[in-house]
């Protein structure tokens, strides 16, 4: 073996180890340096050198450990540097939301700008770019921007960020990621919003540690889902898997915009909840406050609509339980709000419909990340290139 080949191999190993350590700190941090040594199987000096390089690159910080009862000199803690950020974008039929998310998983800022109408792709790009420009001008602790991640309520070709179809938005074959990158000068990646929500919950939320889960997101643009099987996302051949919003729940229902009859999102919708509450629009937090107050007051129209939607949702979750046999179903957006109003009711309804063997160990939980879930999920795809190759 000649020297050049050996040097290249050693450099490849170093780069791989840097990515491994940064990924662990990003997903599971803060971590003691001793914990990194045990988890990676590398020796202490190698881990120390890797951490030192990541510190020099401004990607992690070392800090004194929290006080404990352990005997001996405690190992320094390593934490992802929250000043390294990504911008997250979520276009919807009634608003465009932009967030600033740190590499440590902290959502520093989340801005929602109502549109008053369904925005075109060009309008959404212009709004997002303007909001990002404003956020970049704010004095703060940002040291580095990794890029932009976009959570789109529709079918997205992840290879190039083209929105193939976002029916509620009326977008077809829109190169949203490329146009946003041009408008901002930052790299941009896009994916389906529910897919990103599933990733966020699996890595940082209620699904942490779960190898098989289904995440359903409910928003102004309908219902989408992300499925994780054996610890890996189920994508389908083109990245379009998980459209549980178009699962048949009511064969006597109304025609969906997709052309089918009785889809889940024709029976379970945020707009129907807003209508019964007399609200023009609301984000998930505002909707929850209004629904909670109405249910607590005994408003019969609101209670009836909540019960109706919960019943149709249970029918769709029965299908998810029977088809995917997940250990966990996580509900986000207004679906999480529906579940949170009576957490015991939905599991009872699903258990009464699903195959007994599939339902007996199934857990149904609300998203642990709340209103930040799509921001965290979108940021994760923006961080992906940096996490894969922190050495550059």
């Amino acid at each position: 073996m000649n020297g050049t080949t050996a040097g290249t191999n050693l450099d490849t190993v170093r780069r791989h180890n840097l990515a491994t350590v940064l990924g662990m700190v990003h997903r599971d941090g803060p971590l003691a340096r001793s914990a990194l040594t045990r988890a990676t199987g590398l020796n202490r000096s190698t881990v120390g050198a890797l951490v030192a390089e990541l510190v020099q690159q401004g990607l992690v910080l070392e800090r004194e450990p929290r006080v404990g009862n352990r005997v001996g000199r405690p190992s320094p803690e390593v934490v992802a540097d929250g000043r390294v950020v990504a911008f997250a974008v979520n276009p919807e039929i009634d608003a465009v939301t932009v967030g600033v998310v740190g590499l440590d998983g902290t959502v520093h800022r989340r801005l929602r700008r109502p549109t008053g109408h369904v925005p075109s792709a060009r309008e959404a790009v212009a709004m997002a770019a303007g909001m990002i420009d404003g956020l970049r001008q704010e004095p703060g602790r940002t040291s580095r921007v990794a890029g932009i991640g976009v959570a789109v309520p529709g079918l997205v070709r992840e290879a190039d960020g083209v929105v193939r179809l976002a029916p509620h938005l009326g977008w077809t074959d829109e190169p949203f990621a490329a146009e946003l990158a041009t408008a901002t000068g930052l790299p941009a990646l896009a994916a389906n919003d529910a897919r990103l929500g599933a990733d966020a919950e699996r890595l940082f939320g209620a699904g942490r540690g779960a190898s098989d889960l289904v995440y359903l997101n409910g928003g102004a643009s309908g219902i989408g889902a992300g499925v994780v099987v054996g610890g890996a996302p189920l994508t389908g051949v083109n990245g379009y898997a998980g459209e549980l919003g178009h699962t048949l729940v009511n064969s006597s229902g109304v025609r969906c915009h997709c052309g089918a009859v009785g889809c889940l999102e024709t029976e379970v919708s945020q707009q129907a909840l807003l209508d019964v509450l007399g609200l023009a629009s609301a984000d998930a937090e505002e909707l929850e406050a209004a629904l909670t107050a109405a249910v607590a007051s005994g408003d019969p129209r609101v209670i009836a609509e909540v019960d109706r939607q919960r019943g149709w949702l249970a029918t769709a979750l029965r299908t998810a339980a029977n088809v995917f046999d997940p250990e966990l179903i996580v509900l986000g957006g207004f679906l999480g709000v529906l579940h949170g109003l009576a957490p015991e009711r939905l599991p009872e309804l699903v258990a009464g419909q699903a195959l007994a063997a599939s339902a007996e160990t199934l857990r149904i939980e609300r998203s642990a990340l709340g209103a930040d879930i799509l921001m965290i999920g979108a940021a994760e795809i923006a961080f992906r290139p940096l996490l894969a190759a922190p050495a550059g």
Side-chain angles (χ1 to χ4, degrees), residues 132-214:
I132 288 170
D133 184 61
L135 290 167
R136 293 172 81 176
Q137 304 304 317
E138 289 183 356
R141 293 162 39 108
T142 299
S143 64
R144 178 174 177 177
V145 178
I148 304 171
V150 186
V152 180
L155 304 180
V156 182
R157 190 168 62 206
E158 293 191 29
D160 54 10
V162 170
V163 181
R164 295 302 311 281
L165 177 65
H168 289 278
L169 291 168
W171 299 358
T172 302
D173 290 328
E174 294 286 356
F176 192 85
E179 292 185 358
L180 187 58
T182 299
T184 60
L186 294 169
L189 298 168
N192 172 263
D193 56 355
R195 279 271 315 283
L196 296 179
D199 285 344
E201 283 294 333
R202 179 174 62 90
L203 294 172
F204 304 110
R208 180 174 284 188
S211 62
D212 293 81
L213 69 88
V214 175

Side-chain angles (χ1 to χ4, degrees), residues 46 67 75 95 108 143 146-147 156 168 172 190 203 228 231-232 261 281 283 295 321 363 378:
T46 299
V67 177
S75 177
H108 298 306
S143 64
V156 182
H168 289 278
T172 302
L203 294 172
V228 176
V261 171
S281 67
D283 62 19
V295 170
R363 293 180 291 123

Side-chain angles (χ1 to χ4, degrees), residues 260-287:
V261 171
C263 291
L264 171 64
E265 63 179 47
T266 65
E267 299 292 346
V268 179
S269 76
Q270 179 171 295
Q271 188 58 53
L273 293 171
L274 292 173
D275 290 344
V276 77
L277 288 166
L279 298 176
S281 67
D283 62 19
E285 293 171 339
E286 294 165 341
L287 179 62

